[in-house]
Amino acid sequence: MEPYPAWTFLVSFLAMTSSCDGGKVLVFPVDGSHWLNMKIIVEALHSQGHQITVLRSSSSWYISEFSPYYTSITIIQEQSQPIESQNFMSSFLKRSMEINKNDGSLWAFFELYWNFFNLLVQNQQVVANFTSSIFENTTLIGDLNKTGYDLFLTDPTFPGGVLLAHYLQLPLVYNVRWLFSGEAHLAVAPSPVSYIPICFSHNSDKMDFFQRIRNMIHYIMVLYRDYYVSRPPYQALCDRYFGNNVNVMSLTQKADLWLMRVDFTFEFPRPTMPNVIYVGGFQSKPSKPLSSEFEEFVQSSGEHGVIVMTLGTLLSDLGHELTESFASAFASLPQKVVWRHVGKRPATLGNNTMLVEWMPQNDLLGHPKTKVFVTHGGTNGLYEAIYHGVPVLGIPLIFDQHDNVVHLKARGVAEMLDVTKLNADSLTSALKNILDPEKPYKQNMLELSQLHHDQPMKPLDNAVFWMEYVMRHKGAAHLRTESYNLPWYAYHCLDVIAVLVAFVVLLISIFIWVSCKCLFTCVMKTKKSKRE
Amino acid sequence: MEPYPAWTFLVSFLAMTSSCDGGKVLVFPVDGSHWLNMKIIVEALHSQGHQITVLRSSSSWYISEFSPYYTSITIIQEQSQPIESQNFMSSFLKRSMEINKNDGSLWAFFELYWNFFNLLVQNQQVVANFTSSIFENTTLIGDLNKTGYDLFLTDPTFPGGVLLAHYLQLPLVYNVRWLFSGEAHLAVAPSPVSYIPICFSHNSDKMDFFQRIRNMIHYIMVLYRDYYVSRPPYQALCDRYFGNNVNVMSLTQKADLWLMRVDFTFEFPRPTMPNVIYVGGFQSKPSKPLSSEFEEFVQSSGEHGVIVMTLGTLLSDLGHELTESFASAFASLPQKVVWRHVGKRPATLGNNTMLVEWMPQNDLLGHPKTKVFVTHGGTNGLYEAIYHGVPVLGIPLIFDQHDNVVHLKARGVAEMLDVTKLNADSLTSALKNILDPEKPYKQNMLELSQLHHDQPMKPLDNAVFWMEYVMRHKGAAHLRTESYNLPWYAYHCLDVIAVLVAFVVLLISIFIWVSCKCLFTCVMKTKKSKRE
């Protein structure tokens, strides 16, 4: 008797344990803060035995040329991207705060975004030029082709990597939350504007009629940004290398997998696609013990516990008036406060407040004494708060931060203050509210944290599993829908509806015509018989 | 120094290992073939230490009163459901074969479905009456409430369980592929008719214009079936127990999780929702060694291998002519054939064919000598074929079988024959085609099988994980979208679009009015000055 081959048992086992040893991964990252989370994925891939090559620009701010985790290929770039520079962000924040403070006109708001869109066009053009220079570098392209990469990993916020991956014909995976057009889901999955809050609209998934109007206006801005701001800089490249009817969006939608940097403890529930994998919070990790300086300060808070406060690394100095409001609000509380503050020491600072230029944020949030996290609402910080179960006071400043805090507020785990309107009283009152043991913020956050942790796999392991999946199967075309291949009128069945309606109208017309004819004949016959 | 609590580490670990020991699960199954896969889930839950109670009807055909895996509560039911009886299915098949054979008129097709819909109404009415009798049984309801179940598990094809779960206010999970209205996705996720093939349309996800028209007509039939066939029988119950604006569909959409009995090796890629978990193929299991009788026969096939043939348990006898065609086609092949056949022995049966009334289907499909699976296209059989990597010749008979085979044909792992038109020649030719080592069927099926096995968790473990997840968190409301709470015009933003269009029209009108006014004034002035 022939022995049974064990492959049917083995495959399942291999799927859990095999890790495409020696897979070669080409990474085309986005610079700046986006690199911080890409680096975590690069390190995780490296720890699984993959060889990683990172394409970096010579003008990169964050991406090191040398690393134990990857080899880099540096491409000479003379222009650098203006966005995400301290200057741009500071002036954008200043202007938007001014507008908000004075209940600015619709015109001022549009002017701000007009300038922002103009800057985006410049950025996309810089990336398009950079990508073009790679395409033209035949030696580099030859080398990349020769290496035989198993996977192309990129962040499509600036879609240079998307174009290169298609040029090299490699399986493509995104580490993504944003596209050049807006939130990434809008490009990959059906997104009814009726309950999917559009970024910058400050809506939750429960909207009244006026909020839905606001949402629709923001959606129209997304469409404008997509078609008129982000696509044009890449069109010459698409025309030259990919032929007719191809644009940067149609190439973007061809990715094998989208590793989405959210999960549904943060994101509002929404339609999704089989090739979207949720890895929100993959950056989070258990806290480590604090240094003795921090530990002693934190322990000295006794039963009252500690408030941890930071408004991010890029926009820390909000001006004298606000800084004093923070200081005096903190001074009025029985809690201790660790405050990441760069700038002049506030005059009203209390003894309970420790000013630091850098803090071990994750370790502080994981400390059992920490009661509230005061934050600008960057995703990394919010996920650390969810991970460690610490309720949030959000003071959003710029970009998606307002929307991020809205997500947590809707779950009853955060309160939000408008930075243009807050003062010591409103800050004290908001903090007391969250600290009140009668209020459900802490309990809600613990439950949310449990949901976040209760997954079949940890988010980072999940990300690695699916990247290796794409390597094992040389893509994941069976998870990508046909929707992207349809023109818009066919997608919405407008042609079919037109034909069916025409057919029904035709039937009705024939019916009416025949009825009239019969009626006419009858009437004529009656008249005739009457005459006779 | 206070030691760190380990809960942040523990939660993740617990999520992987804890199994809500002693969870109490109330199961409201659908009878007939649907029970066969529900039973597998019941057994899996039992193996994890949960206590399961099954609500069964006294007129049940399949659901035993006594089982080592569950306790049952038997509810007296005088009427039984006419659908899925041998008589109904045989006559439906006979009539639809007649229509197909004679290239039947559209009228005959509508008549067939009209009768089918009428039968469905009767069935839903029987289930509605059965459910009503449970609601009225205050002792039973009291007992069920007192037990304190952690989870309600049901198959919503007949939605009695949906109503009862809401009445008892229990977390609700579906084991589902079909709803009372049609394929379950249509009720839970956006389903653009342009690339989502509607059941009975026989379309794949790539449709030409005429196929899209056909798809739309089938979609209209689904809507009809939903609104006019399936909802009315339950409306009295909804009105009485759940108040205004509630119908059986709105209750159905409130489930916590949908364990969908497909995955994307079978289902075409499509939009989905966060609370839809794919557990397709959870029934499949490794093959066991064959009995000596089967093993000897299979081994005697030598290098040619074996064809396994069955057309299901309910509709096995297709008449003399077809049976002889099968027999003579098989006789002309060098392969051995195991044929599950109930009825008279065909005159043209070859020596290479073994007739059996029952076969160990999974063990045969898992045998390395098996080359082709000839099947009617039931989902269970197709998933066993995918699991074991055996290419398929589909001869669909009834219900969803045609569509099921279309799914596999589109992936290049199956061929299909029309039962009303096949003969010995077409059968031989199709089998030779699939058996041809030059053709890619086998290779494609092995690759599909690898994709099916390559999942982070086995489908049945995944199902159990998510049911326990719902028990741990007393529901999964955070995964359910707001879409179901919106009226249709708001969902499609028609009100918002109307207001925005009206606003734009108003602006244009004002502009035109002002322009005309100015022009008129100018003209008058010019005339006046000319006169002067």
Side-chain angles (χ1 to χ4, degrees):
Chain A
M1 213 196 270
E2 197 176 294
Y4 280 83
W7 80 269
T8 50
F9 300 82
L10 264 175
V11 170
S12 192
F13 178 65
L14 283 173
M16 293 300 295
T17 57
S18 81
S19 59
C20 286
D21 289 328
K24 289 177 191 159
V25 184
L26 185 58
V27 181
F28 190 115
V30 163
D31 213 330
S33 62
H34 287 241
W35 168 247
L36 300 181
N37 61 59
M38 184 63 99
K39 205 173 142 204
I40 294 170
I41 293 189
V42 164
E43 290 174 12
L45 281 173
H46 176 266
S47 77
Q48 294 300 307
H50 302 291
Q51 296 168 39
I52 296 118
T53 308
V54 174
L55 282 173
R56 65 183 285 283
S57 148
S58 58
S59 68
S60 171
W61 325 306
Y62 281 65
I63 307 166
S64 318
E65 192 171 353
F66 302 103
S67 159
Y69 303 111
Y70 58 84
T71 31
S72 71
I73 297 176
T74 302
I75 290 141
I76 304 299
Q77 187 183 23
E78 277 156 24
Q79 302 163 289
S80 70
Q81 289 174 241
I83 214 167
E84 252 198 57
S85 72
Q86 187 109 21
N87 280 350
F88 165 72
M89 298 238 274
S90 294
S91 69
F92 187 88
L93 172 65
K94 211 174 140 195
R95 184 78 190 110
S96 66
M97 277 173 70
E98 270 169 28
I99 293 173
N100 267 337
K101 210 164 196 164
N102 308 321
D103 288 324
S105 67
L106 203 64
W107 181 248
F109 169 80
F110 273 115
E111 196 196 2
L112 181 75
Y113 275 89
W114 186 257
N115 292 337
F116 175 55
F117 280 176
N118 278 338
L119 195 82
L120 273 183
V121 174
Q122 287 172 38
N123 270 276
Q124 299 289 8
Q125 194 58 60
V126 169
V127 176
N129 295 346
F130 178 64
T131 315
S132 183
S133 75
I134 297 175
F135 277 44
E136 282 158 16
N137 186 338
T138 46
T139 322
L140 174 63
I141 293 290
D143 285 349
L144 293 177
N145 271 324
K146 214 159 48 193
T147 310
Y149 289 101
D150 302 297
L151 182 72
F152 194 109
L153 177 64
T154 191
D155 180 329
T157 310
F158 294 102
V162 176
L163 296 160
L164 186 58
H166 286 286
Y167 193 53
L168 299 173
Q169 297 186 310
L170 292 176
L172 177 58
V173 171
Y174 298 148
N175 161 20
V176 58
R177 191 174 170 218
W178 305 104
L179 275 194
F180 44 88
S181 53
E183 207 271 332
H185 276 108
L186 297 183
V188 68
S191 306
V193 185
S194 47
Y195 72 96
I196 309 288
I198 303 297
C199 195
F200 303 135
S201 72
H202 304 174
N203 285 328
S204 80
D205 59 346
K206 289 182 192 70
M207 300 177 227
D208 61 27
F209 180 70
F210 294 102
Q211 286 168 326
R212 285 196 290 117
I213 287 188
R214 187 187 169 85
N215 215 42
M216 181 61 87
I217 291 170
H218 278 272
Y219 182 65
I220 293 167
M221 280 167 67
V222 165
L223 292 181
Y224 176 82
R225 183 173 157 185
D226 177 5
Y227 283 91
Y228 298 103
V229 175
S230 306
R231 292 191 194 190
Y234 298 94
Q235 199 51 50
L237 212 56
C238 288
D239 290 342
R240 183 161 168 204
Y241 292 97
F242 302 106
N244 289 333
N245 294 324
V246 172
N247 58 57
V248 65
M249 181 56 95
S250 66
L251 290 176
T252 303
Q253 288 172 327
K254 285 201 166 94
D256 288 289
L257 282 185
W258 302 56
L259 302 176
M260 201 70 80
R261 293 195 298 264
V262 287
D263 68 358
F264 292 102
T265 56
F266 175 85
E267 183 76 317
F268 293 117
R270 55 138 32 255
T272 176
M273 284 291 188
N275 61 345
V276 177
I277 309 293
Y278 292 91
V279 297
F282 70 82
Q283 323 88 322
S284 310
K285 48 184 189 282
S287 54
K288 294 193 298 285
L290 295 171
S291 68
S292 59
E293 183 200 12
F294 279 108
E295 184 64 34
E296 271 165 36
F297 181 76
V298 165
Q299 288 299 344
S300 71
S301 68
E303 56 172 336
H304 297 298
V306 172
I307 294 165
V308 176
M309 149 103 180
T310 169
L311 296 181
T313 45
L314 281 170
L315 296 159
S316 43
D317 190 7
L318 297 170
H320 174 72
E321 198 184 333
L322 264 178
T323 310
E324 291 298 338
S325 297
F326 281 118
S328 57
F330 292 150
S332 72
L333 292 170
Q335 280 73 27
K336 297 270 171 148
V337 182
V338 183
W339 180 5
R340 188 192 166 286
H341 174 67
V342 183
K344 227 179 107 187
R345 187 183 168 88
T348 49
L349 198 75
N351 285 335
N352 66 338
T353 306
M354 180 192 209
L355 280 192
V356 289
E357 294 210 352
W358 173 89
M359 59 160 78
Q361 185 173 299
N362 188 55
D363 305 332
L364 278 167
L365 290 177
H367 197 287
K369 292 269 186 207
T370 300
K371 303 292 181 196
V372 182
F373 180 38
V374 184
T375 169
H376 59 307
T379 332
N380 275 0
L382 294 185
Y383 263 109
E384 283 177 356
I386 295 173
Y387 186 92
H388 295 295
V390 180
V392 163
L393 174 60
I395 304 173
L397 303 177
I398 197 172
F399 295 153
D400 57 324
Q401 294 165 3
H402 194 124
D403 294 286
N404 292 343
V405 179
V406 166
H407 284 225
L408 293 201
K409 196 162 178 262
R411 280 163 182 80
V413 301
E415 278 302 328
M416 174 156 50
L417 286 177
D418 182 344
V419 70
T420 61
K421 285 166 187 164
L422 70 78
N423 55 34
D425 286 346
S426 62
L427 195 59
T428 313
S429 148
L431 283 169
K432 279 189 174 162
N433 197 22
I434 299 174
L435 287 160
D436 186 346
E438 305 272 295
K439 297 284 167 66
Y441 298 97
K442 178 70 185 175
Q443 185 54 34
N444 290 346
M445 191 48 132
L446 283 177
E447 284 170 16
L448 196 68
S449 186
Q450 278 166 6
L451 286 173
H452 176 63
H453 286 275
D454 194 355
Q455 300 183 46
M457 280 173 103
K458 287 183 183 163
L460 190 57
D461 295 341
N462 205 22
V464 171
F465 175 87
W466 285 104
M467 284 185 285
E468 293 182 341
Y469 179 94
V470 169
M471 291 195 240
R472 280 195 288 275
H473 303 289
K474 306 188 192 315
H478 69 294
L479 299 178
R480 192 172 54 228
T481 69
E482 277 300 306
S483 59
Y484 317 123
N485 299 330
L486 293 168
W488 64 271
Y489 58 86
Y491 177 86
H492 293 289
C493 286
L494 299 185
D495 47 356
V496 168
I497 291 169
V499 167
L500 290 181
V501 168
F503 181 70
V504 170
V505 168
L506 185 74
L507 277 188
I508 294 172
S509 308
I510 292 175
F511 175 77
I512 292 172
W513 185 76
V514 171
S515 306
C516 288
K517 199 83 183 166
C518 291
L519 202 70
F520 181 73
T521 320
C522 287
V523 171
M524 289 306 283
K525 265 190 184 164
T526 321
K527 276 187 177 174
K528 208 177 166 185
S529 62
K530 268 185 181 171
R531 255 181 254 149
E532 283 165 3
Chain B
M1 211 194 268
E2 196 177 293
Y4 280 82
W7 81 269
T8 50
F9 300 81
L10 264 174
V11 170
S12 191
F13 177 65
L14 283 173
M16 293 299 296
T17 56
S18 79
S19 58
C20 286
D21 289 327
K24 288 177 191 159
V25 183
L26 185 58
V27 181
F28 189 115
V30 163
D31 213 328
S33 62
H34 286 240
W35 168 247
L36 300 181
N37 62 59
M38 183 63 99
K39 204 175 141 201
I40 294 170
I41 293 189
V42 164
E43 290 173 14
L45 281 173
H46 176 266
S47 77
Q48 294 300 308
H50 302 291
Q51 295 168 41
I52 296 119
T53 308
V54 174
L55 282 173
R56 65 183 286 282
S57 149
S58 59
S59 68
S60 171
W61 325 305
Y62 282 65
I63 307 165
S64 318
E65 191 170 354
F66 302 103
S67 159
Y69 304 110
Y70 58 83
T71 32
S72 70
I73 298 176
T74 302
I75 290 141
I76 304 299
Q77 186 182 23
E78 276 156 27
Q79 301 164 288
S80 70
Q81 290 175 241
I83 215 167
E84 255 199 56
S85 73
Q86 187 109 23
N87 279 351
F88 164 72
M89 298 241 272
S90 294
S91 69
F92 187 87
L93 172 65
K94 211 174 141 196
R95 185 77 191 111
S96 65
M97 278 172 72
E98 270 170 28
I99 294 173
N100 267 337
K101 211 166 196 164
N102 308 321
D103 288 324
S105 67
L106 203 66
W107 180 248
F109 169 81
F110 274 115
E111 196 196 1
L112 181 75
Y113 275 89
W114 186 257
N115 291 337
F116 176 54
F117 281 176
N118 277 339
L119 195 82
L120 273 182
V121 174
Q122 287 172 40
N123 270 277
Q124 299 289 8
Q125 194 59 59
V126 169
V127 176
N129 295 345
F130 178 64
T131 314
S132 183
S133 75
I134 297 175
F135 277 44
E136 282 158 18
N137 186 338
T138 46
T139 322
L140 174 62
I141 292 290
D143 285 349
L144 293 176
N145 271 326
K146 213 158 50 192
T147 308
Y149 289 101
D150 302 296
L151 181 72
F152 194 108
L153 176 64
T154 191
D155 180 330
T157 311
F158 294 102
V162 176
L163 297 160
L164 186 58
H166 286 286
Y167 193 54
L168 298 174
Q169 297 185 311
L170 292 176
L172 176 59
V173 172
Y174 297 149
N175 162 20
V176 59
R177 190 173 170 219
W178 305 104
L179 276 194
F180 44 88
S181 53
E183 207 272 332
H185 276 108
L186 298 183
V188 68
S191 307
V193 185
S194 46
Y195 72 97
I196 309 289
I198 303 297
C199 194
F200 302 134
S201 72
H202 304 175
N203 285 328
S204 80
D205 59 346
K206 290 181 191 71
M207 302 177 227
D208 61 26
F209 180 70
F210 294 102
Q211 285 169 325
R212 286 196 288 116
I213 287 187
R214 189 187 167 85
N215 214 41
M216 181 61 87
I217 292 170
H218 279 272
Y219 182 65
I220 294 167
M221 280 167 66
V222 165
L223 292 180
Y224 176 83
R225 182 174 158 185
D226 177 6
Y227 285 91
Y228 298 102
V229 175
S230 306
R231 292 190 193 190
Y234 299 95
Q235 199 51 51
L237 212 55
C238 288
D239 289 342
R240 183 161 169 205
Y241 291 97
F242 304 105
N244 289 333
N245 295 322
V246 173
N247 58 57
V248 66
M249 180 57 93
S250 66
L251 290 176
T252 302
Q253 288 171 328
K254 286 202 165 95
D256 288 288
L257 281 185
W258 302 56
L259 302 177
M260 201 70 78
R261 293 193 299 264
V262 287
D263 68 359
F264 292 101
T265 57
F266 175 86
E267 184 76 318
F268 294 116
R270 53 132 41 251
T272 176
M273 285 290 189
N275 61 345
V276 176
I277 309 293
Y278 292 91
V279 297
F282 70 81
Q283 324 87 322
S284 310
K285 49 183 189 280
S287 55
K288 295 194 297 285
L290 296 171
S291 68
S292 59
E293 183 201 12
F294 279 107
E295 183 64 33
E296 272 164 34
F297 181 75
V298 165
Q299 288 299 344
S300 72
S301 68
E303 56 170 336
H304 297 297
V306 173
I307 295 166
V308 176
M309 149 102 181
T310 169
L311 296 181
T313 46
L314 281 171
L315 295 161
S316 43
D317 190 7
L318 297 170
H320 174 71
E321 199 184 332
L322 264 177
T323 310
E324 292 298 338
S325 297
F326 280 119
S328 57
F330 292 150
S332 72
L333 293 168
Q335 279 73 27
K336 297 269 171 151
V337 181
V338 182
W339 180 5
R340 188 192 166 285
H341 174 69
V342 183
K344 229 179 104 187
R345 187 182 169 87
T348 50
L349 198 75
N351 286 334
N352 66 337
T353 306
M354 181 191 208
L355 281 192
V356 290
E357 295 212 352
W358 173 89
M359 60 161 76
Q361 185 174 298
N362 189 54
D363 305 332
L364 278 167
L365 290 177
H367 198 288
K369 292 269 186 206
T370 300
K371 303 293 180 193
V372 182
F373 180 37
V374 184
T375 168
H376 58 307
T379 332
N380 276 0
L382 294 185
Y383 264 108
E384 283 177 356
I386 294 173
Y387 186 91
H388 295 295
V390 180
V392 164
L393 174 61
I395 304 172
L397 302 177
I398 198 171
F399 296 154
D400 57 323
Q401 294 164 4
H402 194 125
D403 294 288
N404 293 344
V405 180
V406 167
H407 284 226
L408 293 200
K409 197 162 176 259
R411 280 163 183 79
V413 301
E415 278 302 328
M416 174 156 50
L417 286 177
D418 183 344
V419 70
T420 60
K421 285 165 188 164
L422 70 78
N423 55 35
D425 287 346
S426 61
L427 196 60
T428 313
S429 148
L431 284 169
K432 280 189 173 162
N433 197 23
I434 299 175
L435 287 160
D436 186 346
E438 305 272 296
K439 298 282 168 67
Y441 298 98
K442 178 68 185 178
Q443 185 54 33
N444 290 346
M445 191 48 131
L446 283 177
E447 285 170 14
L448 196 69
S449 187
Q450 278 166 5
L451 286 173
H452 175 63
H453 286 275
D454 194 355
Q455 300 183 44
M457 280 172 101
K458 287 183 184 161
L460 190 56
D461 294 341
N462 205 22
V464 171
F465 174 88
W466 285 104
M467 284 185 286
E468 293 182 341
Y469 179 95
V470 169
M471 290 195 240
R472 281 195 288 275
H473 303 288
K474 305 186 193 315
H478 69 294
L479 299 178
R480 192 171 55 229
T481 69
E482 278 298 307
S483 59
Y484 316 123
N485 299 331
L486 294 168
W488 64 272
Y489 59 86
Y491 177 87
H492 293 289
C493 286
L494 299 185
D495 47 355
V496 168
I497 291 170
V499 166
L500 290 181
V501 167
F503 181 69
V504 171
V505 168
L506 185 74
L507 277 188
I508 294 174
S509 307
I510 292 175
F511 175 76
I512 293 174
W513 184 77
V514 171
S515 305
C516 289
K517 198 84 184 168
C518 291
L519 201 70
F520 182 74
T521 320
C522 288
V523 171
M524 290 305 284
K525 265 188 183 166
T526 319
K527 276 188 177 172
K528 208 177 166 184
S529 64
K530 268 186 183 171
R531 256 181 255 150
E532 283 164 1

